[in-house]
Amino acid sequence: MMRLPTRQRGIALPIMLIMLTVMLVSSIYLLKSSTSTTLTTSNLAYDASLSKAADLGVHTAFAYLRSMTNASLLEVNQPANGYVATLTPTWTASTPAFWNGSVLLAADPSGNRVEYVIHRLCDFAGAFNAPGNRCLLTSARPNSKSKVPYGKSGRADSPNYLDQPQLHYVVTARIVGARGGNVVTQAVVMKGP
């Protein structure tokens, strides 16, 4: 007697199809992941290059402050040099009025433009020791003679110094990159009156 062929009941084909589908989805995810990692790395490198470019503004402002041999020139605003003799304590770099009197430098080879402003940390323009003018002051050196120990004299209402104190100036530079990135860099410079 002859046997009729039986139907095969294999499960290998559906399992292989499921495995191929999982492998396809995994490879798509891996490709997307490597692309996003590349983009993230590229963006971090771009931000680092913007930070280095913004340092030009800080350096230019520092060079200006260093060139001032006559301290009385720093008692008034000098918008052409990006210098403001006061700073309102409630302002931050995101306050539009903070940038009044700033200077925009020429574009670098990449087309980035750096803007900087220097603020003297005083309540109003004029002599730092004028009545009512509170300025942020620090003893000239850690071992200088002062009625207040070093490190305790950084308050705006700090008392008398035996030697000439140093005034605080905040240099703020910002750059807005061509691809929408922006960087703000600040430095504090101390200079005698």
Side-chain angles (χ1 to χ4, degrees):
M1 186 176 222
M2 189 165 157
R3 280 178 83 186
L4 290 172
T6 59
R7 285 176 105 193
Q8 294 184 0
R9 292 187 232 165
I11 196 163
L13 182 62
I15 288 179
M16 276 313 272
L17 289 175
I18 290 171
M19 287 176 59
L20 285 172
T21 305
V22 169
M23 287 174 56
L24 178 66
V25 170
S26 297
S27 64
I28 291 172
Y29 176 75
L30 183 63
L31 183 63
K32 258 184 117 175
S33 174
S34 66
T35 303
S36 67
T37 301
T38 303
L39 287 173
T40 301
T41 304
S42 172
N43 287 339
L44 288 173
Y46 178 66
D47 284 346
S49 71
L50 286 181
S51 294
K52 288 179 183 177
D55 286 345
L56 174 65
V58 172
H59 177 71
T60 305
F62 176 74
Y64 168 73
L65 283 175
R66 191 173 181 189
S67 72
M68 289 286 102
T69 55
N70 186 354
S72 64
L73 294 174
L74 295 175
E75 293 177 358
V76 295
N77 295 342
Q78 298 177 21
N81 297 310
Y83 178 76
V84 180
T86 63
L87 177 62
T88 303
T90 57
W91 288 355
T92 65
S94 60
T95 306
F98 182 90
W99 295 97
N100 291 343
S102 65
V103 170
L104 189 63
L105 299 176
D108 67 7
S110 301
N112 298 318
R113 299 205 49 159
V114 178
E115 181 179 14
Y116 76 87
V117 65
I118 307 166
H119 287 101
R120 182 177 73 155
L121 297 182
C122 289
D123 285 346
F124 57 84
F128 78 95
N129 55 359
N133 194 7
R134 294 183 317 166
C135 296
L136 191 61
L137 306 171
T138 298
S139 182
R141 292 184 237 56
N143 58 356
S144 67
K145 298 174 185 173
S146 173
K147 294 179 184 177
V148 179
Y150 182 74
K152 299 288 185 186
S153 58
R155 297 186 336 241
D157 58 349
S158 62
N160 313 314
Y161 290 90
L162 294 177
D163 294 330
Q164 288 292 325
Q166 291 188 333
L167 277 75
H168 291 229
Y169 301 87
V170 174
V171 175
T172 308
R174 72 177 171 182
I175 185 170
V176 177
R179 294 183 354 201
N182 56 20
V183 172
V184 175
T185 303
Q186 286 188 316
V188 176
V189 177
M190 293 184 286
K191 182 176 175 68

